[in-house]
Amino acid sequence: MSQPAAPAPTPRRVVVTGLGAVTPLGLGVGELWRGLLDGRHGIRELAGEEFDGLPVRVAGVVPVDPAGLLPRPVARRMNRAAQFGMLAAREAWADAGFTAGGTRESGVDPARVGVSLGAILGDASVLVGGDRRLREKGPRAVSPLTTAMTVPSQAASQVSLDLHITGEARTVTSACASGTEAIGQAIDRIRYGRIDVALAGGAEAVVTPAIMASFAAMRALAGGAASPDATPSRPFAKDRSGFVNGEGAGILVLEAEEHARARGARIYCEAAGWGLSADAHHMAAPDPSGNGIALALRRALLDAGAGVRDVVHVNAHATATAEGDLAEACALRAVLGERAVPVTALKGHLGHLQGAAGGVEAVAAVLTLRHGVIPPTVGCDEVDDAIVLDVVRGAARALPEDGDVVLSNSFGFGGHNAVLALRRV
């Protein structure tokens, strides 16, 4: 006789208690937020002879060397993306009120804490450098650390090592939706009792000559120069011409609400839900109808127990490509209808941080809810006539009060769509 199925666990409410970021605007969440509100950007011309001859030589580059901020023996065993990830994780961990040094010093069960980070490649330069040394100097010149430092999962593993996290260390790879999906996966792990706390987001460092050349060959990159007063990344603009490659890391500390309240933690907002979908349309181009994106948006609202009327703001993916921005705008109109929901896009400030984009933009979305202020979209002097959205431009704007949900969107090559829903508490 078969046994009755065990009752499904009651989902727990998940909240955000910590934030960390390393971006082209600088080191730390404070530099990110000030730069966004001030309308500054961190896109620069690439120095170094390895970039000579490339058709595009601008990128969103972190302005500090992460290796110089870590002990040398630690830094030399990590790729650049993992260095970004560790710095952002340490900031988020401390911001959540945990003791520096990890779970051992914080009185948290390490088996009840997890890491969930998104990455596309992590850091492609390690493998490229190993191959160059192999060809130029032979196999004995290749570092034994090459393989361990090449895998996209290195950032997650290094964060778990640094903070002594043993619950799990997962890596999500779903193109440019990776960071947002990693956050969503962590929400579910906490909801259903697998872990109590998670560091979730993304880390990426793919500003390398080969990657830049490949994107340029696809005609996906914005050309032109960057100046302090002008960004070549122009989301939703009539004259947008492509995205700007970028690097960095953004990490949230997610926590079961009862766990956070039991230790008296400061709560930023609720991580209320998330949604996934796939375009099944093309290996790189988005479905121009926006139907796949709309499905992810609707699923995020459903998962959050929210309706269209609850949405007060959308942090758009908006990479500044002609097709991508239009598809997202179509999807938002299909889901939100005629409501003038304020929309902002941050890639004019940052460039496209690839697998880290969802993590960094989620940090910004959390801060928007926390402070009640929407950063402006820089680079968009004139909105494309075909994009019928209320794009926040020129200056920051107060967050509307007639609702409590912010959506943060991420979409990637191959039709990966992920949407995060955050709610005021």
Side-chain angles (χ1 to χ4, degrees), residues 17-186:
T17 58
L19 303 173
V22 179
T23 75
L25 287 171
L27 180 67
V29 169
E31 286 297 304
L32 169 65
W33 188 238
R34 281 189 292 272
L36 295 179
L37 294 184
D38 291 345
R40 290 187 283 109
H41 73 83
I43 295 169
R44 302 168 178 81
E45 184 171 353
L46 295 170
E49 60 183 33
E50 69 269 27
F51 295 104
D52 289 349
L54 292 182
V56 176
R57 292 187 55 184
V58 293
V61 180
V62 172
V64 295
D65 179 10
L69 302 174
L70 297 166
R72 190 170 184 277
V74 174
R76 66 183 296 272
R77 292 176 174 270
M78 300 167 60
N79 65 36
R80 187 173 172 87
Q83 292 167 0
F84 291 150
M86 182 178 288
L87 292 170
R90 286 180 174 181
E91 182 185 21
W93 185 256
D95 186 52
F98 293 118
T99 303
T103 58
R104 287 173 171 148
E105 287 76 16
S106 297
V108 182
D109 182 355
R112 299 294 300 169
V113 183
V115 180
S116 181
L117 296 185
I120 302 175
L121 295 173
D123 182 353
S125 67
V126 178
L127 184 60
V128 171
D131 181 68
R132 182 182 299 116
R133 283 188 289 274
L134 174 64
R135 288 184 283 105
E136 293 177 354
K137 299 182 179 180
R140 297 178 71 86
V142 178
S143 168
L145 299 175
T146 299
T147 300
M149 290 173 61
T150 295
V151 292
S153 59
Q154 215 220 5
S157 68
Q158 289 291 335
V159 169
S160 73
L161 282 165
D162 186 55
L163 298 176
H164 191 66
I165 292 170
T166 63
E168 56 189 42
R170 60 176 58 219
T171 299
V172 175
T173 299
S174 51
C176 307
S178 300
T180 297
E181 184 174 347
I183 295 170
Q185 297 283 2

Side-chain angles (χ1 to χ4, degrees), residues 288-307:
S289 73
N291 289 339
I293 295 171
L295 179 58
L297 288 163
R298 293 189 177 101
R299 284 176 169 171
L301 289 173
L302 180 64
D303 194 46

Side-chain angles (χ1 to χ4, degrees), residues 32-39 312-315 342-344 346 349 361-377 392 394-401 406 424:
L32 169 65
W33 188 238
R34 281 189 292 272
L36 295 179
L37 294 184
D38 291 345
V312 292
H313 168 56
V314 178
N315 188 309
V343 176
T344 195
L346 306 183
H349 300 266
E361 290 166 19
V363 169
V366 169
L367 291 170
T368 294
L369 271 176
R370 178 71 172 179
H371 298 297
V373 179
I374 304 170
T377 301
V392 178
R397 186 191 302 180
L399 189 70
E401 297 182 358
V406 166
R424 273 193 274 232

Side-chain angles (χ1 to χ4, degrees), residues 181-203:
E181 184 174 347
I183 295 170
Q185 297 283 2
I187 290 172
D188 280 354
R189 300 296 287 174
I190 296 171
R191 268 180 177 168
Y192 298 108
R194 303 299 190 268
I195 53 176
D196 298 320
V197 181
L199 288 115

